[in-house]
């Protein structure tokens, strides 16, 4: 058998994992979700969920991959026995489901990028036609296909030659661009109003609103790419010596900072050009209509900003899509002995087909987004049980082997056993309750 590939460096691993985490979920999802969940209350809850609930799970998911050196489909069986096989399937099915609709939104992003670059931005009276051209007709399929093909090309080039290489040049570029854009957004007349709406709009009741709780949990898992086997796959290529707790902290820190910076770009733009209320209309409305139309009033500067922003979003999405595709691909290689190219072609074609309903209907796309988020939390819950209760020896050995501090390990283990599973359980319960409620009343 061929030796298992490894990341060239621990920085490469971190950048690839951060690349998975930072994506459309941060740039599109985060500001929009925050506006739906009561601004600052959502933000506070989100940060708490990330630091207290998700971080221990992130480390455990990585340990699951590293200690078994296996793909997400096989790792749960290797560490916990046959009984855990369904967990591997949940990982594979959820990643295919997410990539299926994610590629559609990537396609819209690419379309808006090319439109901004070559044709300019839509005027307010052209906004309707602009959206129709974006989200209907053959251009949607073209965008979806282009996005999947690019993703497939990177993944088929392998862990070092494809995924790590892409992350190494794109992540620094992404950070640079996002900082520049947030500085620019700070100079807009509506900047302060935007920050206020996003960061300072305190309404403590929102903290107990089931919808805010559902959004914060869903967004935290989605944004960290957690509970879906990606970190299993990525960590299975990682070095036994690298300190996973520290790396997990850096990855989640970068992800959260990018989410907040994204809000500090979009909120000022929307408040300057369109006013309150606009950001809450819908996911599609805010980012693919309001943003380009708003920026149109700035002439050339607006066009440059739009090109940078949508280009940036596409690259961020690509590094996330690549990680999603790696889950079924590494699983097929591991389970059936296929070669990488076969696995890539098969998985990509299947994902394209699953994404067709989402390409045809925004409503189906939003539903896929909402429901797959529940899978991530279920995956996260199972990781807590498997690593915190069933395979504790392997978990301890792995973390002890990389010399992480005993205090840190004790804290993580305690949280993994007692706090994260209970919190995720409550989060899942509240989320399901919130989702079925409209049907009941
Ligand atoms: N974390 C990515 C984002 O924020 C999306 C993603 C979700 C990627 C789940 C992998 C798994 O856009």
């Amino acid at each position: 058998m061929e030796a298992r590939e490894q990341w060239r460096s621990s920085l490469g691993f971190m950048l690839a994992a951060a690349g998975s985490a930072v994506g459309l979920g941060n740039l599109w999802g985060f500001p929009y979700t925050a506006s739906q969940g009561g601004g600052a209350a959502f933000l506070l809850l989100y940060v708490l969920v990330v630091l207290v609930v998700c971080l221990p799970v992130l480390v455990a998911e990585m340990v699951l991959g590293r200690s078994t050196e296996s793909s997400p489909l096989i790792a749960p069986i290797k560490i916990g026995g046959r009984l855990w096989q369904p967990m591997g399937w949940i990982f594979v099915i959820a990643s295919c489901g997410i990539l299926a609709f994610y590629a559609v939104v990537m396609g819209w992003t690419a379309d808006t990028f090319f439109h901004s670059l070559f044709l300019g931005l839509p005027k307010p009276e052209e906004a309707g036609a602009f959206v129709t051209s974006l989200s209907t007709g053959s251009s949607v399929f073209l965008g979806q296909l282009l996005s999947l093909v690019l993703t497939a090309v990177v993944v088929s080039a392998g862990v070092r030659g494809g995924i790590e290489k892409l992350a190494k040049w794109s992540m620094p570029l992404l950070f640079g661009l996002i900082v520049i854009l947030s500085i620019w957004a700070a100079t807009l007349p509506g900047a302060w109003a935007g920050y206020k709406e996003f960061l300072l709009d305190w309404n403590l009741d929102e903290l107990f609103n089931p919808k805010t709780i559902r959004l914060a949990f869903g967004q935290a898992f989605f944004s960290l790419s957690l509970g879906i086997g990606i970190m299993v796959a990525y960590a299975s290529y990682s070095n036994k010596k690298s300190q996973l707790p520290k790396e997990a902290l850096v990855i989640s820190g970068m992800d959260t900072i990018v989410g907040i910076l994204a809000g500090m770009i979009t909120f000022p733009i929307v408040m300057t050009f369109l006013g309150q209320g606009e950001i809450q209309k819908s996911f599609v409305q805010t980012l693919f209509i309001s943003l380009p139309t708003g920026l149109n009033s700035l002439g050339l500067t607006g066009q440059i900003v739009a090109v940078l922003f949508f280009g940036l979003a596409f690259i961020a999405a690509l590094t996330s899509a690549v990680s999603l595709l790696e889950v079924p691909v590494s699983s097929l290689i591991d389970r059936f002995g296929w070669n990488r190219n076969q696995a890539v072609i098969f998985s990509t074609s299947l994902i394209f087909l699953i994404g067709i309903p989402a390409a045809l209907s925004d409503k189906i796309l939003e539903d896929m987004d909402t429901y797959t988020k529940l899978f991530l939390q279920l995956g996260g819950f199972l990781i807590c049980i498997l690593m915190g209760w069933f395979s504790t020896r392997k978990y301890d050995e792995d973390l002890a082997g990389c010399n992480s501090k005993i205090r840190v390990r004790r804290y993580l283990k305690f949280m993994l056993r007692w706090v994260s599973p209970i919190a995720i359980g409550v989060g899942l319960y509240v989320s399901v309750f919130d989702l079925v409620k409209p049907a009941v009343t």
Side-chain angles (χ1 to χ4, degrees):
M1 246 187 79
E2 260 180 66
R4 197 171 180 78
E5 256 198 285
Q6 277 215 345
W7 302 104
R8 203 174 292 277
S9 68
S10 129
L11 178 70
F13 163 62
M14 270 200 288
L15 289 177
S20 168
V22 172
L24 297 177
N26 304 62
L27 300 173
W28 287 174
F30 193 78
Y32 169 63
T33 320
S35 71
Q36 291 215 312
F42 166 84
L43 201 63
L44 179 71
L45 207 59
Y46 174 85
V47 173
L48 266 177
V49 174
V50 167
L51 287 179
V52 179
V53 182
C54 291
L55 203 60
V57 189
L58 184 58
V59 176
E61 188 172 333
M62 289 176 170
V63 171
L64 174 57
R66 183 165 75 174
S67 61
T68 56
E69 294 191 339
S70 301
S71 67
L73 183 64
I74 305 292
I77 307 176
K78 269 209 179 156
I79 210 161
R82 285 253 144 230
L83 197 69
W84 288 89
Q85 179 148 34
M87 184 170 164
W89 284 110
I90 291 181
F91 289 159
V92 174
I93 293 169
S95 1
C96 292
I98 292 185
L99 184 53
F101 74 78
Y102 203 77
V104 175
V105 186
M106 271 175 90
W108 296 347
T109 313
D111 203 353
T112 313
F113 169 79
F114 287 122
H115 202 289
S116 319
L117 186 63
F118 295 117
L119 305 172
L121 298 170
K123 299 194 186 68
E125 61 275 15
E126 293 163 355
F130 178 66
V131 194
T132 319
S133 78
L134 198 71
S135 63
T136 51
S138 53
S139 73
V140 184
F141 290 106
L142 211 64
Q144 180 199 13
L145 197 64
L146 170 85
S147 309
L148 282 177
V149 168
L150 275 177
T151 309
V153 168
V154 178
V155 174
S156 67
V159 174
R160 278 192 182 193
I163 303 177
E164 186 169 0
K165 241 193 204 155
L166 172 72
K168 271 200 170 148
W169 69 260
S170 65
M171 291 310 286
L173 178 74
L174 213 102
F175 273 110
L177 273 179
I178 209 159
V179 169
I180 294 174
L181 284 176
S182 55
I183 294 174
W184 169 80
T187 63
L188 291 172
W192 183 242
Y195 297 154
K196 237 168 69 188
E197 172 110 346
F198 175 44
L199 300 168
L200 305 167
D201 175 22
W202 281 107
N203 178 357
L204 282 182
D205 291 347
E206 281 289 342
L207 280 180
F208 303 100
N209 182 344
K211 186 174 171 196
T212 314
I213 297 174
R214 171 171 68 83
L215 292 176
F217 270 88
Q219 180 64 26
F221 274 80
F222 188 84
S223 187
L224 289 175
S225 310
L226 188 60
I228 192 175
I230 284 174
M231 298 300 164
V232 175
Y234 275 16
S236 76
Y237 308 118
S238 111
N239 176 319
K240 294 270 182 218
K241 289 273 162 277
S242 56
Q243 293 201 9
L244 296 181
K246 220 191 253 164
E247 296 180 345
L249 190 67
V250 174
I251 294 163
S252 42
M254 288 208 259
D255 186 60
T256 307
I257 292 173
V258 172
I260 294 176
L261 285 178
M264 293 172 71
I265 298 172
T266 36
F267 276 76
I269 298 182
V270 172
M271 291 311 243
T272 303
F273 300 112
L274 305 138
Q276 205 168 8
E278 200 65 25
I279 205 157
Q280 295 177 350
K281 277 196 184 146
S282 83
F283 179 79
V284 188
Q285 171 82 33
T286 309
L287 292 142
F288 295 99
I289 309 174
S290 308
L291 252 167
T293 338
L295 287 173
N296 177 47
S297 58
L298 282 187
L300 185 63
T301 316
Q303 190 175 357
I304 294 173
V305 171
V307 169
L308 289 180
F309 191 72
F310 287 94
L312 163 107
F314 188 82
I315 298 171
L318 186 61
T319 53
S320 301
V322 158
S323 71
L324 283 161
L325 187 58
E326 183 61 22
V327 174
V329 166
S330 62
S331 298
L332 287 172
I333 296 175
D334 234 16
R335 174 77 173 74
F336 300 111
W338 290 9
N339 70 37
R340 191 163 264 276
N341 283 340
Q342 281 171 325
V344 167
I345 294 172
F346 178 80
S347 314
T348 313
S349 318
L350 189 71
I351 289 166
F352 177 74
L353 295 178
I354 305 175
I356 290 178
L360 293 171
S361 147
D362 293 358
K363 169 85 182 64
I364 294 181
L365 194 150
E366 284 212 52
D367 283 349
M368 282 173 87
D369 175 44
T370 306
Y371 290 102
T372 44
K373 282 187 175 143
L374 298 180
F375 272 92
L376 303 185
Q377 292 167 68
L378 178 64
F381 180 78
L382 293 175
I383 290 171
C384 296
I385 305 298
L386 177 61
M387 303 308 284
W389 291 95
F390 278 84
S391 306
T392 41
R393 209 166 48 92
K394 282 264 176 52
Y395 174 84
D396 292 338
E397 273 171 13
D398 184 277
L399 285 183
C402 69
N403 277 331
S404 45
K405 291 209 179 70
I406 182 101
R407 260 203 344 257
V408 174
R409 277 187 274 147
R410 281 215 185 110
Y411 165 79
L412 287 172
K413 177 109 170 266
F414 175 80
M415 299 303 277
L416 185 69
R417 301 187 90 174
W418 298 105
V419 179
S420 302
I422 296 176
I424 300 172
V426 172
L428 258 174
Y429 177 78
V430 174
S431 304
V432 173
F433 170 79
D434 181 55
L435 286 171
V436 297
K437 191 185 50 183
V440 175
T441 50

